[in-house]
Amino acid sequence: MTAGPAWWQRGAIYQIYPRSFADSDGDGVGDLPGITGRLDHIEALGAEAIWLSPFYRSPMADFGYDVADYRDVDPVFGTLADFDALLGAAHARGIRVVVDWVPNHSSDQHEWFRESRSSRDSPRRDWYVWHDGDGAGGPPNDWMSEFPAVGRAWSLDEATGQWYLHSFMAEQPDLNWDNPEVEAAMHDTLRFWLDRGVDGFRVDALQRLAHDPLLRSNAGAARRRDQDWETMHDRLRGIRRVTDEYEDRMLVGEVAIDDLHRVVTFLNDGDQLHLAHNFVFADLPWSAEAFALSIADFEALASGVAWPAWFLGNHDMPRVATRFDGGTGLGPARARAALLLLYTLRGTPFVFQGEELGLPDAEIPADRVVDVDGRDPERAPVPWRPPSAAGPGAGFTTGEPWLPIVGAAEALNAETQAADPASTLSLTRRLAALRRATPALQLGAQRALRLAEDVLAWERSADGDRLVAAVNFAAAPVALAAVDGLPGRAALVVSTDPARAGGDVALADLALGPAEGVLLRL
Ligand code: NOJ
């Protein structure tokens, strides 16, 4: 007998960016009670789990990814009691809760860093990465911040005359994971949330947890020395051991490495991550060939225990509907095709809030820009109701939203789409329900098919149930050629084009519209 899927394999994991999801108290910033109040939406989406971006105490230099207390909720998001209420309410509906864990850096306002920077003799000095400069007034080496606007990854602390490492903003000093005390303290922060009942963690900036202990420059090195050092794997095994002290928990890593050979090293032995966000895939251009190659690459490199995780959007990258438009006007249709792809590929889909609505990026006027790295457009609040009925806050807030509401809110809000069977929201619900009801779409085998130029196609099968998915990447219609041993006729189960009729079709007669995706049952 084969075992059924783990919960984190079965269906989609829905990413919530709490600041922008739902505001319960009118301060213009989303909060935890706001999420609890919108669990109907998540349940109707058939999400297996939610992943919450950080809601911990934070001065918000990086909107929560600068944590000042790993064990408390920031007042703007609510209280620990609000968190427990959300967790209980989600669990009561069978929705798992994954929280973001930011182990590479804390806020510069964290008491650990305040102590660390207070003097060279501080018992916590070695909790962060301090070093003398290069002797010529410059930093210890050539490492750069992930954010181009920040520049170098070092800042000088005038008072103690040494530099500290920050892979992101200066307000986000890197913790020193070479120090076992730091490792133990961070493990305890995991236990804090595991004891409260969370189902897993999304590990932020994972590849940054290990760098060259000699702090040598990157220049001239065959491989970068500021991240993904070999010590990474033992470090990760330690984290996995902590989560394995509890039953049925999951670790997904933000593995922002553009080399799949490296990415699979975190998955292939089954003792590190359960899932790794595949940034090679997320960064692909809209090309059937590129997608096909990337999927095949992962399959070729992955071991039997490695399970794929697919995503095309998050709070750090332009939204799918905008990114894949490329001036064709097909962005919205491609966003629908992308959803079909995510829900029907073999692997766990990660869906970022608003993707189920086909939201494009919002336009952010210069005087409303708040993020250091240009990520405001994809972080615009979720429009829940038409502004004409709910006011300018579109049901997200009764106050002034912290970022502008997307211009298309009147048509693309959740309430309007829920009432329209042709909407992207209705399509997403159908795809999720199909996946839930179809073992072949969960653990089923996958075989790549070549049905036509510019068409990405694959078969999923289990226990005699065979489904074929096909997505037309071209901006023009493409006729399918029935090849690869497929039967002549199939049942069209779902199309991303609401005008397409379902039912029995002859494969040889099937032409996919521009950006159309279909799912067929053989
Ligand atoms: C990745 C997060 O997704 C991003 O939003 C954040 O700025 C960096 N890590 C730093 O924590």
Side-chain angles (χ1 to χ4, degrees):
M1 211 182 79
T2 44
W7 62 265
W8 45 268
Q9 295 177 305
R10 197 160 41 217
I13 298 182
Y14 181 78
Q15 182 194 352
I16 292 179
Y17 191 71
R19 289 188 76 83
S20 302
F21 193 67
D23 172 22
S24 72
D25 59 7
D27 68 354
V29 177
D31 46 46
L32 298 181
I35 300 171
T36 309
R38 291 287 179 189
L39 285 177
D40 279 351
H41 177 78
I42 293 156
E43 190 174 3
L45 266 182
E48 200 63 52
I50 51 177
W51 145 32
L52 303 173
S53 277
F55 49 80
Y56 316 108
R57 268 194 193 269
S58 167
M60 306 289 167
D62 191 15
F63 299 106
Y65 283 95
D66 47 325
V67 180
D69 184 346
Y70 287 97
R71 299 157 183 255
D72 202 3
V73 172
D74 193 273
V76 81
F77 295 126
T79 61
L80 275 173
D82 291 331
F83 177 80
D84 292 340
L86 168 56
L87 187 71
H91 281 173
R93 294 172 189 247
I95 300 166
R96 307 291 213 286
V97 177
V98 173
V99 299
D100 221 308
W101 185 55
V102 190
N104 176 68
H105 44 270
S106 71
S107 160
D108 62 347
Q109 300 306 310
H110 195 294
E111 59 168 343
W112 296 341
F113 188 71
R114 288 170 186 265
E115 287 174 29
S116 181
R117 89 181 306 169
S118 66
S119 104
R120 289 196 186 205
D121 304 324
S122 159
R124 287 213 208 273
R125 185 64 167 181
D126 198 35
W127 278 47
Y128 292 83
V129 186
W130 290 99
H131 207 272
D132 294 336
D134 63 359
N141 64 26
D142 68 358
W143 296 358
M144 299 297 289
S145 159
E146 195 78 29
F147 300 139
V150 172
R152 58 192 177 193
W154 296 94
S155 286
L156 178 64
D157 177 59
E158 302 279 352
T160 58
Q162 283 192 311
W163 301 73
Y164 68 89
L165 178 67
H166 51 83
S167 298
F168 296 89
M169 297 171 81
E171 294 87 344
Q172 296 167 292
D174 280 34
L175 283 154
N176 179 15
W177 273 78
D178 290 330
N179 179 345
E181 288 179 29
V182 169
E183 185 166 30
M186 289 308 289
H187 284 180
D188 281 345
T189 67
L190 289 172
R191 292 192 185 93
F192 177 84
W193 293 101
L194 288 163
D195 286 336
R196 284 199 114 77
V198 306
D199 299 284
F201 299 95
R202 176 265 191 182
V203 185
D204 183 73
L206 174 107
Q207 72 284 351
R208 294 284 186 167
L209 279 191
H211 55 242
D212 179 2
L214 300 179
L215 302 179
R216 287 169 295 182
S217 282
N218 280 326
R223 210 169 99 193
R224 286 173 66 161
R225 293 177 171 136
D226 58 346
Q227 63 175 30
D228 190 21
W229 203 249
E230 274 310 310
T231 38
M232 198 56 243
H233 297 289
D234 274 342
R235 223 147 264 183
L236 205 42
R237 284 185 195 104
I239 293 164
R240 173 65 177 263
R241 277 195 298 275
V242 174
T243 49
D244 281 352
E245 291 166 11
Y246 300 74
E247 225 174 290
D248 210 17
R249 313 298 163 103
M250 184 275 293
L251 280 177
V252 53
E254 185 205 23
V255 187
I257 297 177
D258 58 9
D259 177 358
L260 279 182
H261 291 86
R262 296 293 315 149
V263 175
V264 295
T265 62
F266 299 101
L267 297 167
N268 274 352
D269 295 338
D271 59 354
Q272 297 171 60
L273 296 173
H274 296 90
L275 299 171
H277 282 149
N278 179 342
F279 280 79
V280 178
F281 183 79
D283 289 337
L284 292 174
W286 186 253
S287 146
E289 202 194 345
F291 273 67
L293 278 174
S294 178
I295 294 163
D297 275 354
F298 185 88
E299 285 176 346
L301 295 169
S303 74
V305 297
W307 183 253
W310 308 109
F311 79 102
L312 289 168
N314 66 20
H315 61 296
D316 295 330
M317 57 205 292
R319 284 189 174 276
V320 173
T322 300
R323 199 164 89 236
F324 291 138
D325 188 79
T328 60
L330 289 171
R334 289 178 173 171
R336 294 167 70 100
L339 285 161
L340 183 128
L341 193 129
L342 291 173
Y343 278 95
T344 62
L345 277 175
R346 181 176 175 277
T348 301
F350 279 77
V351 175
F352 175 47
Q353 68 182 39
E355 253 170 62
E356 78 281 21
L357 304 174
L359 293 186
D361 284 346
E363 276 181 41
I364 311 292
D367 63 345
R368 298 287 303 270
V369 169
V370 289
D371 180 49
V372 65
D373 200 35
R375 299 167 295 182
D376 298 323
E378 59 266 29
R379 297 177 177 181
V382 172
W384 292 100
R385 303 187 54 219
S388 59
F396 163 72
T397 183
T398 53
E400 174 68 24
W402 75 288
L403 280 174
I405 301 284
V406 63
E410 190 64 26
L412 295 186
N413 69 83
E415 184 181 281
T416 302
Q417 291 204 41
D420 175 6
S423 70
T424 302
L425 177 58
S426 297
L427 170 71
T428 312
R429 288 178 176 177
R430 267 203 303 283
L431 289 167
L434 253 166
R435 181 171 171 127
R436 196 161 257 248
T438 312
L441 292 180
Q442 298 170 14
L443 292 187
Q446 178 161 291
R447 177 169 77 104
L449 301 173
R450 188 108 183 108
L451 300 185
E453 180 89 18
D454 288 330
V455 170
L456 179 72
W458 63 100
E459 180 180 340
R460 301 293 312 278
S461 58
D463 300 328
D465 191 22
R466 295 175 68 192
L467 295 115
V468 166
V471 174
N472 177 12
F473 277 66
V478 174
L480 295 192
V483 290
D484 276 336
L486 301 185
R489 306 194 72 84
L492 192 128
V493 183
V494 61
S495 165
T496 59
D497 176 358
R500 158 99 53 194
D504 184 61
V505 291
L507 286 182
D509 294 343
L510 195 58
L512 299 184
E516 187 183 6
V518 292
L519 186 67
L520 304 150
R521 182 167 261 130
L522 302 182

